[in-house]
Amino acid sequence: MKTAIIVFPGTNREKDMADALEHISGHRPKLIWHKETTLDNYDLIVLPGGFSYGDYLRCGAMAAHSPIMKEVIRQAERGTRIFGVCNGFQMLVETQILPGALLRNNSLKFICKHVHLKAENLNDTMTKQLASSPIIHVPVAHGDGNYFANDNILNALKEHNQIAFRYCDKTGDITKGNFNGSTDNIAGVYNKRKTVLGMMPHPENAILDHHKNTSGTGLFKGILDQLS
Amino acid sequence: MTNTVQKQSTSPLPPEPAVTAELGAEFGLNAEEYQLVLDILGRTPTFTEIGIFSVMWSEHCSYKSSRLHLKKLPTSAPWVIQGPGENAGVIDIEDGQAAVFKMESHNHPSYIEPYQGAATGVGGIMRDVFTMGARPVANMNALRFGDPSHPKTRHLVDGVVAGISGYGNCMGVPTVGGETNFHKSYNGNILVNAMCVGLAEQDKIYYATGAKPDMPIVYVGAKTGRDGIHGATMASAEFEDGVEGNRPTVQVGDPFTEKLLLEACLELMQEDDIVSIQDMGAAGLTSSSVEIADKGGIGVVLELDNVPQRETLMSPYELMLSESQERMLMILKPGSEDKAKAIFDKWDLDFAVIGRTTDDKHLKLNMYGQSWCDIPVPPLVDESPIYDRPQGDAPKPATLDAAGYALPNGSVTQALKTIMTAPDMASKRWIWEQYDSLVMGETTASAGISDTQSGNAADAALVRIPSQNKTTKALAISTDCTPRYCFANPFEGGKQAVAETYRNISATGATPLAITNNLNFGNPERPDIMAQFVGGIEGIGAAASALDYPVVSGNVSLYNETSGEAIFPTPVIGGVGLIRDADKAMGLAFKEMDETIIMIGDKGTDLGQSLYLRHVHGVEAGEAPVVDLTKEKQNGSFIRKIISDQLISSCHDVSDGGLLCAIAEMAMASKSEAGYVGASLDLDINEENLFAEDQARYVVTTSDSMSLAALCEKENIPYTIVGTTKPSTISIGDEAITVADLHEANEAWLPNYMKGV
């Protein structure tokens, strides 16, 4: 299995993602500079967290026009599995590979803390390994994670079962735990084909023993399952 | 002699102001200093030259009031690779690795423009660390604000925290801890002290020293603009009312550019092309070029037309004094230019050869086809004034009322709650949740974190060092100072700041190795302030010597006073320690029910300068606690041993608020989905002073109190069995308080304050 983690100027969670993927899969992912133009040899493409282009203009907006992104869009159309976290999710939204938009947190503050998430799609998707315990506890670290979807988009997301994660409390109550103002508590979404997953929280920081919280493991196992 | 500066009419700039003693005074040079400039040059300086002299001789750059006393600090140990004098200190952390660290203030700019002031402070200290070839792995900070009731405080807290968050988070360096105090002495001068710790390979450390003649001088990073001109001079003067008019002297930060600069520098540093490197911090191009010339014993000629410029028609004066951020000066091996340029091109950063090193020990500047400056470097540096400023008596604290300070209504839990909700003791969650403390994935404990943020609360922040070894080591980092002690007794206060970092690091099981300091004081021209300054330094020196805990880097910030009102003396210490087996690191939270709670150290005696007095009785009085350094060392070693031997399950030092507050913090930090672990205490509130802040003390929990007690007896360590861990409540005598109630109140103060509730 071969994984590419795309590195943009300002990306800063590529190491965390590489450590997590290596821990679960036994393979060290390859870091790919954003000026590359082909990704044909990879089973999984990861857009990691950070502040690409300093979050100038809008988060992810400049990265969406980077040379590599044309290829990411092409790979998305081909059905290559793509996983975007935090700034990576923002890029997937900016390229319209995923629907919706990410606005400033409603507190107007950057927030770094552990939150509860409920996996909402447990069918044959990257999140199906979470079927036995769909509530996970992982960190967030973002200033612009307030997911916005208008009624049309929201209805379409529901209709096509595209909502991957919602914020919730520890009991899984999805009317609670919305700390950033996201529409319908949405923390992560799929594309229609369920080949692309984007989410604001950082499951890669809840994997290793010393994280003292391995709640992100099921998700990573599920992603790798989809590749074989 | 070429020591004359030719002026011809090729410059497109308007004529510069005439240089006189009055202009020198405006730039902060007194009459003697101005005369010294005339003597060195043998002529009247140009406008550019007087600007350069004035910043190089500012307090901020020259340490003219402090240098004499800083020499008293112990700076060496077998594990010290580089002590003070470089961009940052360097210590050996085994396996060929080094920790590189320093703390620096950005006080004056942060008061004037809190977001940018704090942001560029964080940017500056990270640059100091990666200039040396180290990747920053942890940021810390120490913040002091005015009284919460002061009309500017809320705005300053909001801006400073946002600035630290904005810069550090974007850089992808975790901010893992710090401290925040409020006191009216900071009403007109807040303190923003930022510390950065980096990790380097010992054979890849870079220095400012080492440049030779006839090598290319390269400028990399952001372009130079007209921001921050004379910032170092501003930071060397007292504030007066209307200081906000100084806003143009505050720099503007761009963390994105700095992130690129970090990656580009570290990439180039993997090669062997850099001879010497210096970041452009205070006094920008001036201090970096003078520093490289002085340390290399060489001269420098700069072609300023080649400096990448953000604005048009900039003058040599502006270019040399600008404090635009995210810039570096490096001396490359001749012939390495193209290779280096390719790396900076990749990262979309400016790269310009702006001059060459020479053998004549002069700083020469050319621009617009003419010469603007020709200063001999050695006298500019060596003959910079040093002052042995007169010392009077430091102000004395008010004496304690002999009548005593009984518990109001006789209630110990009520007093506990009052202290735990006081601004200095209240949870700082509102602050640290704005910092990314987890990026890089190696944070295992963040100081002050009282629940799940990174899984564990501890007295010091713990950041693992990735390695191929079976056991992974970690750095333990703590920043501390108790300014009210320093005010009451500068010497004991200086000792205490060092001792508290030593305790906090020991309480995690790590061995304290070395410190950086950030000495924040008032106007050194006042004998009482000078007495505080010297007392503080001597206290730091005494503790650093006794604890084998040398000073490897530091920063001095003087003139922290407004309209004659000085801050409390605030010598902040940043300590760094190492734990070989990170899996054995100890947290402060109570873990299990029915464990024995034991206090290591002597019983509490004196309430002087305690938070109990300040918040329960509204009295700031009494002597500072005396720090017995022999006991600190003995008890600290004992704590590290019982952690290494896995005899205890939690450990917390006794500091602000005394024994009972320490226990309350351990209980609050125990929060889990199952609730809290509380304590049933067998303490007689009349027998021991539970809120006294006596030093060299720790609270630990154990399931094997017999063994621990026996070990204490054997090693002659004083201890007291304090009680037993029990579910959800802290009970003492016939009183009880639920931990949830205490925690809720402790968490509520700061968010409510920021909301204006």
Side-chain angles (χ1 to χ4, degrees), chain B residues 73-86 88-94 97-99 101 202 205 207 512-516 544 548-553 576:
Chain B
L73 294 171
T75 58
S76 57
W79 52 90
V80 173
I81 295 173
Q82 174 67 52
E86 273 287 344
V90 184
I91 57 170
D92 182 351
I93 52 168
E94 305 173 15
Q97 293 175 309
F101 61 98
Q202 286 179 18
I205 294 171
Y207 299 96
L513 291 176
I515 57 179
T516 181
D548 296 324
Y549 195 32
V551 180
V552 296
S553 58
V576 174

Short mmCIF file of all heavy atoms in Angstrom, two decimals, chain B residues 73-86 88-94 97-99 101 202 205 207 512-516 544 548-553 576:
data_model
loop_
_atom_site.label_atom_id
_atom_site.label_comp_id
_atom_site.label_asym_id
_atom_site.label_seq_id
_atom_site.Cartn_x
_atom_site.Cartn_y
_atom_site.Cartn_z
N LEU B 73 26.54 35.34 37.08
CA LEU B 73 25.74 34.12 36.97
C LEU B 73 26.61 32.92 36.57
O LEU B 73 27.46 33.04 35.70
CB LEU B 73 24.63 34.31 35.94
CG LEU B 73 23.57 35.34 36.31
CD1 LEU B 73 22.64 35.60 35.12
CD2 LEU B 73 22.77 34.87 37.51
N PRO B 74 26.37 31.76 37.17
CA PRO B 74 27.11 30.56 36.76
C PRO B 74 26.59 30.09 35.40
O PRO B 74 25.38 30.01 35.19
CB PRO B 74 26.77 29.55 37.85
CG PRO B 74 25.46 29.99 38.40
CD PRO B 74 25.41 31.49 38.25
N THR B 75 27.48 29.83 34.48
CA THR B 75 27.05 29.50 33.12
C THR B 75 27.64 28.21 32.58
O THR B 75 27.45 27.90 31.41
CB THR B 75 27.47 30.64 32.14
OG1 THR B 75 28.88 30.80 32.21
CG2 THR B 75 26.80 31.96 32.50
N SER B 76 28.37 27.48 33.41
CA SER B 76 28.98 26.28 32.84
C SER B 76 28.65 25.03 33.63
O SER B 76 28.32 25.09 34.82
CB SER B 76 30.50 26.46 32.74
OG SER B 76 31.01 26.74 34.01
N ALA B 77 28.71 23.93 32.95
CA ALA B 77 28.55 22.61 33.52
C ALA B 77 29.01 21.66 32.43
O ALA B 77 29.08 22.07 31.26
CB ALA B 77 27.08 22.33 33.87
N PRO B 78 29.32 20.43 32.78
CA PRO B 78 29.82 19.51 31.73
C PRO B 78 28.83 19.35 30.57
O PRO B 78 29.24 19.04 29.46
CB PRO B 78 30.00 18.19 32.49
CG PRO B 78 30.20 18.59 33.91
CD PRO B 78 29.38 19.84 34.12
N TRP B 79 27.53 19.53 30.85
CA TRP B 79 26.55 19.32 29.79
C TRP B 79 26.20 20.61 29.02
O TRP B 79 25.36 20.57 28.13
CB TRP B 79 25.27 18.69 30.37
CG TRP B 79 24.72 19.44 31.55
CD1 TRP B 79 23.81 20.45 31.49
CD2 TRP B 79 25.03 19.25 32.92
NE1 TRP B 79 23.55 20.92 32.75
CE2 TRP B 79 24.27 20.19 33.66
CE3 TRP B 79 25.88 18.36 33.61
CZ2 TRP B 79 24.34 20.28 35.05
CZ3 TRP B 79 25.94 18.46 34.99
CH2 TRP B 79 25.18 19.40 35.69
N VAL B 80 26.86 21.71 29.36
CA VAL B 80 26.59 22.95 28.63
C VAL B 80 27.49 23.01 27.39
O VAL B 80 28.71 22.97 27.49
CB VAL B 80 26.83 24.19 29.51
CG1 VAL B 80 26.71 25.47 28.67
CG2 VAL B 80 25.84 24.22 30.66
N ILE B 81 26.86 23.09 26.22
CA ILE B 81 27.62 23.18 24.96
C ILE B 81 27.85 24.65 24.60
O ILE B 81 28.89 25.03 24.12
CB ILE B 81 26.87 22.43 23.84
CG1 ILE B 81 26.81 20.94 24.17
CG2 ILE B 81 27.54 22.67 22.48
CD1 ILE B 81 25.94 20.12 23.23
N GLN B 82 26.85 25.48 24.85
CA GLN B 82 26.97 26.91 24.57
C GLN B 82 26.22 27.69 25.63
O GLN B 82 25.02 27.51 25.80
CB GLN B 82 26.41 27.23 23.18
CG GLN B 82 26.36 28.71 22.83
CD GLN B 82 27.75 29.33 22.69
OE1 GLN B 82 28.60 28.82 21.95
NE2 GLN B 82 27.99 30.40 23.43
N GLY B 83 26.94 28.55 26.33
CA GLY B 83 26.31 29.41 27.33
C GLY B 83 25.86 30.72 26.72
O GLY B 83 25.75 30.84 25.49
N PRO B 84 25.62 31.75 27.54
CA PRO B 84 25.13 33.03 27.03
C PRO B 84 26.10 33.65 26.03
O PRO B 84 27.30 33.43 26.10
CB PRO B 84 25.04 33.89 28.29
CG PRO B 84 24.97 32.94 29.42
CD PRO B 84 25.74 31.74 29.01
N GLY B 85 25.56 34.45 25.10
CA GLY B 85 26.41 35.14 24.14
C GLY B 85 26.09 34.79 22.71
O GLY B 85 26.46 35.50 21.79
N GLU B 86 25.40 33.67 22.50
CA GLU B 86 24.97 33.33 21.15
C GLU B 86 23.46 33.58 21.04
O GLU B 86 22.85 34.12 21.96
CB GLU B 86 25.33 31.87 20.84
CG GLU B 86 26.75 31.69 20.29
CD GLU B 86 26.88 32.18 18.83
OE1 GLU B 86 25.85 32.36 18.16
OE2 GLU B 86 28.02 32.38 18.37
N ALA B 88 21.12 31.52 21.27
CA ALA B 88 20.42 30.76 22.31
C ALA B 88 21.44 29.87 23.00
O ALA B 88 22.55 29.67 22.48
CB ALA B 88 19.31 29.92 21.68
N GLY B 89 21.07 29.34 24.15
CA GLY B 89 21.93 28.41 24.88
C GLY B 89 21.75 27.00 24.33
O GLY B 89 20.71 26.66 23.78
N VAL B 90 22.79 26.17 24.52
CA VAL B 90 22.75 24.80 23.99
C VAL B 90 23.23 23.84 25.06
O VAL B 90 24.29 24.06 25.67
CB VAL B 90 23.68 24.65 22.76
CG1 VAL B 90 23.55 23.24 22.16
CG2 VAL B 90 23.38 25.71 21.70
N ILE B 91 22.44 22.77 25.30
CA ILE B 91 22.89 21.76 26.26
C ILE B 91 22.85 20.37 25.63
O ILE B 91 22.07 20.09 24.71
CB ILE B 91 22.05 21.76 27.56
CG1 ILE B 91 20.56 21.56 27.27
CG2 ILE B 91 22.29 23.04 28.36
CD1 ILE B 91 19.72 21.32 28.51
N ASP B 92 23.71 19.52 26.17
CA ASP B 92 23.82 18.12 25.73
C ASP B 92 22.66 17.33 26.33
O ASP B 92 22.49 17.31 27.55
CB ASP B 92 25.16 17.59 26.26
CG ASP B 92 25.45 16.17 25.83
OD1 ASP B 92 24.54 15.51 25.26
OD2 ASP B 92 26.58 15.70 26.08
N ILE B 93 21.87 16.66 25.48
CA ILE B 93 20.81 15.80 26.02
C ILE B 93 21.05 14.34 25.61
O ILE B 93 20.12 13.56 25.45
CB ILE B 93 19.40 16.28 25.61
CG1 ILE B 93 19.31 16.47 24.10
CG2 ILE B 93 19.05 17.58 26.35
CD1 ILE B 93 17.88 16.65 23.61
N GLU B 94 22.32 14.02 25.40
CA GLU B 94 22.77 12.65 25.12
C GLU B 94 22.38 12.18 23.72
O GLU B 94 21.63 12.85 23.03
CB GLU B 94 22.24 11.66 26.19
CG GLU B 94 22.60 12.11 27.60
CD GLU B 94 21.96 11.26 28.68
OE1 GLU B 94 21.46 10.16 28.39
OE2 GLU B 94 21.99 11.71 29.84
N GLN B 97 22.43 14.46 20.66
CA GLN B 97 21.41 15.51 20.47
C GLN B 97 21.62 16.67 21.44
O GLN B 97 22.27 16.52 22.47
CB GLN B 97 20.02 14.91 20.69
CG GLN B 97 19.65 13.88 19.62
CD GLN B 97 18.32 13.22 19.92
OE1 GLN B 97 18.09 12.72 21.02
NE2 GLN B 97 17.44 13.20 18.93
N ALA B 98 21.06 17.81 21.08
CA ALA B 98 21.19 18.99 21.92
C ALA B 98 19.84 19.69 22.03
O ALA B 98 19.06 19.69 21.08
CB ALA B 98 22.21 19.95 21.33
N ALA B 99 19.59 20.28 23.20
CA ALA B 99 18.43 21.16 23.36
C ALA B 99 18.95 22.59 23.28
O ALA B 99 19.96 22.93 23.89
CB ALA B 99 17.74 20.91 24.70
N PHE B 101 17.78 26.59 23.62
CA PHE B 101 16.63 27.33 24.14
C PHE B 101 17.00 28.71 24.66
O PHE B 101 18.14 28.99 25.04
CB PHE B 101 15.90 26.54 25.22
CG PHE B 101 16.73 26.20 26.43
CD1 PHE B 101 16.65 26.98 27.58
CD2 PHE B 101 17.57 25.11 26.43
CE1 PHE B 101 17.41 26.68 28.71
CE2 PHE B 101 18.33 24.79 27.55
CZ PHE B 101 18.24 25.57 28.69
N GLN B 202 24.11 17.55 17.62
CA GLN B 202 25.26 18.30 18.15
C GLN B 202 26.29 18.67 17.07
O GLN B 202 26.99 19.66 17.20
CB GLN B 202 25.94 17.50 19.26
CG GLN B 202 25.14 17.49 20.53
CD GLN B 202 25.80 16.66 21.62
OE1 GLN B 202 26.99 16.37 21.56
NE2 GLN B 202 25.03 16.28 22.62
N ILE B 205 25.28 22.36 14.72
CA ILE B 205 24.88 23.59 15.41
C ILE B 205 25.58 24.77 14.75
O ILE B 205 26.77 24.68 14.43
CB ILE B 205 25.19 23.49 16.92
CG1 ILE B 205 24.29 22.41 17.53
CG2 ILE B 205 24.94 24.83 17.62
CD1 ILE B 205 24.62 22.05 18.94
N TYR B 207 26.56 28.98 14.53
CA TYR B 207 26.84 30.11 15.42
C TYR B 207 27.00 31.41 14.63
O TYR B 207 27.23 31.39 13.42
CB TYR B 207 28.14 29.85 16.20
CG TYR B 207 28.07 28.62 17.08
CD1 TYR B 207 28.55 27.39 16.65
CD2 TYR B 207 27.48 28.70 18.34
CE1 TYR B 207 28.47 26.25 17.45
CE2 TYR B 207 27.40 27.58 19.15
CZ TYR B 207 27.89 26.36 18.71
OH TYR B 207 27.81 25.26 19.51
N PRO B 512 16.61 18.35 36.25
CA PRO B 512 16.78 19.73 35.77
C PRO B 512 18.22 19.93 35.28
O PRO B 512 19.17 19.55 35.97
CB PRO B 512 16.52 20.57 37.03
CG PRO B 512 15.82 19.66 38.00
CD PRO B 512 16.34 18.29 37.69
N LEU B 513 18.37 20.51 34.09
CA LEU B 513 19.71 20.63 33.50
C LEU B 513 20.22 22.06 33.41
O LEU B 513 21.37 22.34 33.72
CB LEU B 513 19.73 20.01 32.09
CG LEU B 513 19.60 18.50 32.03
CD1 LEU B 513 19.54 18.04 30.58
CD2 LEU B 513 20.74 17.80 32.76
N ALA B 514 19.39 22.98 32.95
CA ALA B 514 19.88 24.35 32.75
C ALA B 514 18.69 25.30 32.62
O ALA B 514 17.56 24.87 32.41
CB ALA B 514 20.75 24.43 31.50
N ILE B 515 18.99 26.60 32.75
CA ILE B 515 17.92 27.59 32.69
C ILE B 515 18.24 28.72 31.71
O ILE B 515 19.39 28.98 31.39
CB ILE B 515 17.62 28.20 34.08
CG1 ILE B 515 18.88 28.85 34.69
CG2 ILE B 515 17.06 27.17 35.01
CD1 ILE B 515 18.65 29.50 36.06
N THR B 516 17.17 29.38 31.29
CA THR B 516 17.28 30.65 30.60
C THR B 516 16.55 31.65 31.49
O THR B 516 15.71 31.26 32.30
CB THR B 516 16.66 30.57 29.20
OG1 THR B 516 16.79 31.83 28.54
CG2 THR B 516 15.18 30.21 29.25
N ALA B 544 21.25 28.80 41.10
CA ALA B 544 21.78 28.06 39.95
C ALA B 544 23.06 27.32 40.34
O ALA B 544 23.28 26.18 39.92
CB ALA B 544 22.03 29.02 38.79
N ASP B 548 23.29 23.04 40.64
CA ASP B 548 23.96 22.60 39.40
C ASP B 548 23.07 22.82 38.20
O ASP B 548 22.79 21.89 37.42
CB ASP B 548 24.33 21.10 39.47
CG ASP B 548 25.34 20.82 40.55
OD1 ASP B 548 26.22 21.67 40.75
OD2 ASP B 548 25.23 19.77 41.21
N TYR B 549 22.66 24.03 38.04
CA TYR B 549 21.55 24.32 37.13
C TYR B 549 21.90 25.66 36.45
O TYR B 549 21.29 26.68 36.73
CB TYR B 549 20.32 24.43 38.03
CG TYR B 549 18.96 24.39 37.45
CD1 TYR B 549 18.65 23.66 36.31
CD2 TYR B 549 17.92 25.07 38.11
CE1 TYR B 549 17.35 23.63 35.84
CE2 TYR B 549 16.63 25.03 37.64
CZ TYR B 549 16.35 24.31 36.50
OH TYR B 549 15.07 24.26 36.03
N PRO B 550 22.93 25.65 35.57
CA PRO B 550 23.49 26.91 35.08
C PRO B 550 22.57 27.68 34.13
O PRO B 550 21.65 27.12 33.55
CB PRO B 550 24.75 26.45 34.33
CG PRO B 550 24.49 25.04 33.96
CD PRO B 550 23.63 24.47 35.05
N VAL B 551 22.90 28.96 33.98
CA VAL B 551 22.17 29.84 33.07
C VAL B 551 22.86 29.77 31.70
O VAL B 551 24.06 30.04 31.60
CB VAL B 551 22.24 31.30 33.57
CG1 VAL B 551 21.48 32.23 32.63
CG2 VAL B 551 21.70 31.40 34.99
N VAL B 552 22.14 29.41 30.66
CA VAL B 552 22.78 29.28 29.35
C VAL B 552 22.34 30.34 28.34
O VAL B 552 22.92 30.45 27.26
CB VAL B 552 22.59 27.87 28.74
CG1 VAL B 552 23.28 26.82 29.60
CG2 VAL B 552 21.13 27.54 28.54
N SER B 553 21.31 31.09 28.68
CA SER B 553 20.89 32.17 27.78
C SER B 553 19.97 33.08 28.58
O SER B 553 19.56 32.73 29.68
CB SER B 553 20.17 31.62 26.56
OG SER B 553 19.04 30.86 26.94
N VAL B 576 14.88 23.75 31.83
CA VAL B 576 14.77 22.59 30.94
C VAL B 576 15.43 21.39 31.62
O VAL B 576 16.53 21.51 32.16
CB VAL B 576 15.45 22.85 29.58
CG1 VAL B 576 15.46 21.59 28.71
CG2 VAL B 576 14.76 23.99 28.84
#
